[in-house]
C-alpha cells in the first residue's frame, strides 16, 4: 500500500468516529466507510459490497445509554483494504471484517473509560468558572475516541501485506471455505434482520412481488427498488383518495 492510502484511511477512521458523536453525517456507517475505502484502494464495488453487508448486520443497533456495539466501520475499512491487497474478494474481506469489528468493541470500551478523565477535569473547570479549561478538556476528550479507531487501522494497513500473506499460509482450506460460506450467509442474515423491523405481515404481497422480480425475473436491485417505489406511490394515492372521500362525506353529513 502507498503512504497516501494508509494516511487517508487512518485520518478517515479518526474523523468517522468523531462524526458519530457530533455531526453525524454518516461517516461512521459501514457502507460509507466501505465506499470511501473502495475509492482509496481502487475497488469501489468491493468496498460497497463489504460496507453494505456489514451495514445490514447492525440495522436497529445503536449506542444507546453509552453501550458499545461491534465496530463494523473500522471492520469495513480494514476488511476492504486487506481484501483488495490479497485479491481474495468479498468472502475473504467480510471474513476479516466481522471478527475485527467484534474485537474492536474492547477498544471502544477503553476509549469511553479514558474519556471520563477529561470529562471529570471539565467538571472541575466548570466549578471554577474556567470556560477555556472546559473547551480544552472537551477537545482533548475527543482524542481517545479518534485514536481508538485510527491506531488499529494504521497498524493493520502498515503490516497489511505481511498479515494477509501470513493468514493465507496459516489458514487451512476448511477455514477459508467456512469464510466463503459465511460471506454468502451474512447478506441473507442482514435482510432477515431488516425484515424483522418491517410490517411484513401487512404488506406481504409487496414482499412477494419483489421476491419474484428478483429471483425469477432476474430484475436488478435498482429495478426492484423502482418497482417498490411505484407500488408505494400507488398505495399513497389510494390512501389519499380514500381520505378525501371520507372527509368529503363528513362535510356533507354536517
Amino acid at each position: 500500500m502507498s503512504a497516501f492510502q494508509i494516511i487517508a484511511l487512518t485520518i478517515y477512521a479518526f474523523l468517522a468516529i468523531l462524526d458519530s458523536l457530533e455531526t453525524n453525517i454518516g461517516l461512521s456507517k459501514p457502507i460509507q466507510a466501505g465506499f470511501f475505502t473502495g475509492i482509496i484502494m481502487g475497488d469501489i464495488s468491493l468496498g460497497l459490497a463489504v460496507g453494505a453487508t456489514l451495514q445490514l448486520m447492525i440495522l436497529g443497533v445503536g449506542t444507546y445509554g453509552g453501550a458499545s456495539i461491534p465496530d463494523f466501520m473500522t471492520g469495513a475499512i480494514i476488511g476492504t483494504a486487506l481484501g483488495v491487497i490479497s485479491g481474495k474478494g468479498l468472502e475473504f474481506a467480510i471474513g476479516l471484517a466481522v471478527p475485527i469489528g467484534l474485537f474492536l468493541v474492547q477498544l471502544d470500551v477503553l476509549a469511553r473509560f479514558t474519556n471520563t478523565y477529561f470529562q471529570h477535569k471539565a467538571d472541575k473547570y466548570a466549578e471554577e468558572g474556567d470556560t477555556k479549561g472546559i473547551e480544552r478538556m472537551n477537545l482533548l476528550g475527543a482524542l481517545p475516541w479518534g485514536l481508538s479507531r485510527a491506531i488499529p487501522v494504521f497498524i493493520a494497513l502498515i503490516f497489511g501485506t505481511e498479515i494477509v500473506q501470513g493468514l493465507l499460509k496459516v489458514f487451512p482450506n476448511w477455514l477459508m471455505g467456512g469464510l466463503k460460506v459465511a460471506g454468502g450467509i451474512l447478506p441473507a442474515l442482514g435482510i432477515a434482520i431488516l425484515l424483522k423491523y418491517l410490517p411484513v405481515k401487512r404488506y406481504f404481497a409487496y414482499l412477494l412481488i419483489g421476491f419474484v422480480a428478483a429471483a425469477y425475473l432476474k430484475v436488478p436491485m435498482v429495478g426492484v427498488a423502482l418497482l417498490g417505489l411505484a407500488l408505494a406511490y400507488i398505495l399513497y394515492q389510494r390512501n389519499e383518495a380514500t381520505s378525501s372521500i371520507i372527509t368529503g362525506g363528513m362535510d356533507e353529513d354536517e
Side-chain angles (χ1 to χ4, degrees):
M1 292 183 63
S2 67
F4 168 76
Q5 291 173 321
I6 295 174
I7 293 173
L9 293 178
T10 300
I11 293 176
Y12 180 90
F14 186 95
L15 296 177
I17 187 60
L18 298 184
D19 169 67
S20 68
L21 302 172
E22 298 291 343
T23 52
N24 199 22
I25 60 176
L27 296 180
S28 63
K29 303 298 183 183
I31 191 170
Q32 295 277 32
F35 175 65
F36 181 81
T37 306
I39 293 176
I40 297 299
M41 298 301 299
D43 194 339
I44 297 178
S45 61
L46 178 62
L48 283 173
V50 173
T53 302
L54 297 177
Q55 187 73 52
L56 288 172
M57 295 181 63
I58 58 171
L59 287 174
V61 178
T63 57
Y64 309 114
S68 295
I69 63 174
D71 184 15
F72 286 147
M73 179 272 292
T74 306
I77 295 175
I78 298 176
T80 300
L82 298 188
V84 173
I85 293 175
S86 66
K88 292 293 182 179
L90 179 61
E91 293 82 8
F92 182 81
I94 295 177
L96 289 177
V98 172
I100 287 173
L102 295 174
F103 172 75
L104 290 180
V105 173
Q106 307 306 319
L107 291 183
D108 184 77
V109 174
L110 179 61
R112 293 173 185 272
F113 178 77
T114 306
N115 181 262
T116 58
Y117 168 79
F118 297 102
Q119 297 311 308
H120 286 312
K121 293 286 288 184
D123 291 338
K124 180 180 178 182
Y125 286 129
E127 294 176 357
E128 299 172 356
D130 186 354
T131 57
K132 294 295 183 180
I134 297 173
E135 294 175 1
R136 186 167 60 253
M137 288 302 103
N138 283 331
L139 291 175
L140 291 175
L143 289 178
W145 292 99
L147 294 177
S148 68
R149 271 63 176 186
I151 291 177
V153 169
F154 182 77
I155 293 175
L157 298 182
I158 283 288
F159 301 102
T161 304
E162 290 78 4
I163 291 175
V164 171
Q165 291 177 348
L167 290 176
L168 292 177
K169 292 179 180 178
V170 174
F171 282 2
N173 292 332
W174 61 265
L175 182 56
M176 294 300 297
L179 292 177
K180 184 176 182 180
V181 173
I185 293 176
L186 288 177
L189 175 63
I191 294 297
I193 294 174
L194 176 61
L195 292 176
K196 183 179 179 181
Y197 294 95
L198 296 176
V200 176
K201 293 182 179 179
R202 182 178 180 183
Y203 298 105
F204 180 77
Y206 297 96
L207 175 64
L208 189 60
I209 291 173
F211 176 78
V212 171
Y216 293 97
L217 301 181
K218 306 300 180 183
V219 178
M221 292 307 299
V222 174
V224 175
L226 292 175
L227 177 62
L229 179 62
L231 292 173
Y233 185 67
I234 293 173
L235 180 62
Y236 170 77
Q237 287 184 314
R238 182 179 300 174
N239 290 337
E240 283 290 305
T242 302
S243 177
S244 299
I245 293 174
I246 293 174
T247 303
M250 292 176 62
D251 291 339
E252 291 176 0
D253 293 338
E254 293 175 355

